[in-house]
């Protein structure tokens, strides 16, 4: 599962390996994952955790946190000048034990989110 850094910072609870958690998932349709992170990025994400637009939630999943990876990438000005865009191939994943206020970006990259793997995951009503 994917957790956006901004959603975690705004409304997320600390999360650590071995803890039971519940995630509210929207579809994982973020097209830049593969381009930015390349083959190191897990294919077939179950979804993206959603803490704001609850009408976008399609599944509620509960399980035990098996692993967490912090995801960082570089940004550059978009070709059309409308803002910044992730730089293809600049993504890095780093294994961490917990998502809390001690997680920092890697080098010249911005922290953009977290990949969380659950064991014993099951849908909740």
């Amino acid at each position: 599962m994917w957790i956006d850094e901004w959603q975690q910072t705004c409304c997320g609870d600390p999360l650590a390996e071995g803890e039971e958690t519940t995630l509210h998932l929207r579809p994982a349709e973020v097209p830049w994952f593969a381009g930015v992170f390349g083959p190191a990025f897990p294919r077939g994400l179950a979804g993206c955790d959603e803490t704001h637009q609850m009408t976008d939630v399609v599944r509620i999943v509960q399980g035990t946190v098996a692993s967490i990876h912090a995801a960082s990438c570089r940004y550059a000005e978009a070709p059309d000048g409308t803002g910044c865009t992730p730089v293809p191939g600049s993504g890095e994943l780093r294994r961490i034990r917990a998502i809390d206020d001690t997680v920092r970006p890697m080098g010249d990259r911005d922290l953009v989110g977290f990949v969380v793997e659950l064991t014993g995951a099951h849908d909740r009503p």
Side-chain angles (χ1 to χ4, degrees):
M1 270 81 43
W2 173 263
I3 299 176
D4 291 312
E5 183 279 333
W6 72 268
Q7 292 214 41
Q8 180 65 28
T9 298
C10 174
C11 302
D13 293 321
L15 192 60
E17 288 181 353
E19 290 182 350
E20 189 81 12
T21 191
T22 300
L23 299 174
H24 297 81
L25 302 179
R26 60 180 157 78
E29 295 181 29
V30 181
W32 55 267
F33 285 156
V36 172
F37 293 97
F41 197 82
R43 302 290 180 236
L45 286 176
C48 299
D49 189 44
E50 181 60 58
T51 59
H52 293 89
Q53 296 288 2
M54 298 314 278
T55 56
D56 292 345
V57 171
V58 294
R59 290 176 66 196
I60 301 173
V61 177
Q62 186 172 14
T64 302
V65 178
S67 68
I68 304 170
H69 287 82
S72 297
C73 71
R74 287 190 203 99
Y75 282 85
E77 178 130 4
D80 62 5
T82 58
C84 291
T85 186
V87 174
S90 70
E92 289 188 359
L93 296 175
R94 174 176 44 111
R95 179 83 183 257
I96 59 175
R97 300 258 181 233
I99 301 173
D100 56 26
D101 58 4
T102 65
V103 178
R104 300 286 180 256
M106 295 176 280
D108 63 345
R109 291 165 171 80
D110 292 313
L111 182 63
V112 294
F114 305 93
V115 178
V116 176
E117 183 181 347
L118 302 180
T119 58
H122 58 276
D123 288 349
R124 287 193 37 200

